[in-house]
């Protein structure tokens, strides 16, 4: 019987690469994202069964309905990859209006909460019990960029959510991991390749890396038995300035 995976933010970048790799590995993949056209492109790239559910991940009604459909059709979920995310252009807190803040919180944190909530419930009650949740944390969960307070706040919160899920899931064989990504070559990092502000105020171009390697990391995690977990993993462009002082 094929395992079932949900990938949020599956229309482009890391989500698309991961969904395709999971499909190639025999997973039935549920593709979640805002843009139906992009999800269709990912579905076409998948070589197995893939279903698309265009939605706003921060809308509880949409998320609940999605899980009701999954439970009715497949009776289980084996993997949730919480990958959907958004960010603001670089600016200090005084330049951010409250609606912008709430939008980032809605997608990056509330969306992850909702998908984790309903996945946890299904994994807890399905047979056989258990499953794996993987959260996209970003290296901003550890160290911020200048002018990134909304994004950084959500990614720090993701770390707490990952640890809590990993702890609360123990009695139900539900394990949770976090992958902190630095400079994957996706539409979100186009500006990084052209030049981005550094901690010392200078503007520098930064290296990126192929998101296929993140997909491989996800596949490694899901290949592990549920009694084994890699709680935290950082995958990054080797020469990005993250590990130095600026």
């Amino acid at each position: 019987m094929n395992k079932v995976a949900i990938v949020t933010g599956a229309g482009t970048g890391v989500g698309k690469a991961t969904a395709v790799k999971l499909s190639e590995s025999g997973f039935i993949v549920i593709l979640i994202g805002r843009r139906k056209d992009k999800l269709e492109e990912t579905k076409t790239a998948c070589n197995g069964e893939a279903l698309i559910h265009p939605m706003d991940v921060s809308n509880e009604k949409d998320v609940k309905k999605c899980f009701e459909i999954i439970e009715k059709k497949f009776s289980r979920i084996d993997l949730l990859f919480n990958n959907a995310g958004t960010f603001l252009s670089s600016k200090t807190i005084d330049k951010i209006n409250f609606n912008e803040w709430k939008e980032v919180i809605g997608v990056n944190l509330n969306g992850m909460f909702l998908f984790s909530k309903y996945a946890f419930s299904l994994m807890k009650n399905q047979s056989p019990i258990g499953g794996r949740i993987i959260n996209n944390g970003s290296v901003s969960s550890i160290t911020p960029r200048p002018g990134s307070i909304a994004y950084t706040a959500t990614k720090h919160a993701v770390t707490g959510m990952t640890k809590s899920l990993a702890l609360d899931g123990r009695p139900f064989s539900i394990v949770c991991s976090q992958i902190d990504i630095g400079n994957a070559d996706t539409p979100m990092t186009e500006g990084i390749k052209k030049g981005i502000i550094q901690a010392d105020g200078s503007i520098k171009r930064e290296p990126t890396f192929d998101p296929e390697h993140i997909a491989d990391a996800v596949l490694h995690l899901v290949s592990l038995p549920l009694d084994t977990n890699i709680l935290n993993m950082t995958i990054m462009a080797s020469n990005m300035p993250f590990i130095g002082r600026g």
Side-chain angles (χ1 to χ4, degrees), residues 1-243:
M1 182 177 179
N2 290 53
K3 292 186 175 182
V4 181
I6 296 175
V7 179
T8 69
T12 60
V14 170
K16 181 178 181 179
T18 303
V20 172
K21 284 278 179 91
L22 288 168
S23 177
E24 291 172 349
S25 297
F27 278 81
I28 297 167
V29 188
I30 316 299
L31 308 172
I32 308 296
R34 289 180 183 269
R35 295 176 57 183
K36 184 178 180 181
D37 59 330
K38 292 296 182 182
L39 294 178
E40 290 285 5
E41 289 177 10
T42 301
K43 181 179 179 179
T44 299
C46 291
N47 67 352
E49 185 174 357
L51 285 72
I52 66 169
H53 286 277
M55 70 171 74
D56 175 356
V57 296
S58 66
N59 185 312
E60 185 176 13
K61 289 183 179 179
D62 287 351
V63 177
K64 184 178 180 181
K65 183 179 180 181
C66 174
F67 275 90
E68 287 171 349
I69 292 169
I70 292 169
E71 184 171 11
K72 184 176 181 180
K73 187 173 179 63
F74 302 111
S75 301
R76 68 178 298 102
I77 174 72
D78 298 283
L79 169 68
L80 166 63
F81 182 33
N82 275 316
N83 170 68
T86 190
F87 66 101
L88 303 177
S89 58
S90 179
K91 48 188 170 182
T92 53
I93 192 169
D94 56 307
K95 303 295 184 182
I96 299 171
N97 69 55
F98 193 40
N99 286 333
E100 289 177 317
W101 168 267
K102 288 189 289 185
E103 181 181 356
V104 178
I105 296 293
V107 175
N108 295 4
L109 196 55
N110 294 344
M112 189 174 289
F113 166 82
L114 288 170
F115 269 87
S116 298
K117 168 185 169 66
Y118 287 103
F120 193 101
S121 178
L122 182 51
M123 290 173 177
K124 179 180 175 181
N125 293 290
Q126 64 195 14
S127 181
I129 195 171
R132 192 175 294 272
I133 297 171
I134 301 173
N135 295 330
N136 183 336
S138 169
V139 295
S140 291
S141 69
I142 305 166
T143 302
R145 290 185 177 279
S148 66
I149 192 167
Y151 184 78
T152 298
T154 61
K155 294 305 183 178
H156 274 62
V158 167
T159 299
M161 188 179 295
T162 298
K163 291 178 180 178
S164 291
L165 283 169
L167 184 60
D168 294 346
R170 286 179 176 178
F172 315 108
S173 295
I174 299 170
V175 297
C176 188
S177 303
Q178 180 169 320
I179 300 180
D180 290 331
I181 300 167
N183 288 12
D185 188 1
T186 71
M188 286 183 70
T189 59
E190 286 301 312
I192 288 172
K193 292 187 290 183
K194 296 175 182 176
I196 191 167
I197 190 168
Q198 304 294 307
D200 63 0
S202 63
I203 303 293
K204 294 180 180 177
R205 290 182 292 177
E206 295 186 12
T208 58
F209 73 100
D210 194 327
E212 292 286 326
H213 302 306
I214 302 164
D216 289 335
V218 171
L219 285 178
H220 175 62
L221 286 170
V222 299
S223 74
L224 299 173
L226 293 179
D227 65 359
T228 305
N229 190 29
I230 298 172
L231 180 63
N232 294 105
M233 175 189 298
T234 300
I235 182 167
M236 55 181 275
S238 300
N239 294 331
M240 68 178 291
F242 166 64
I243 56 174

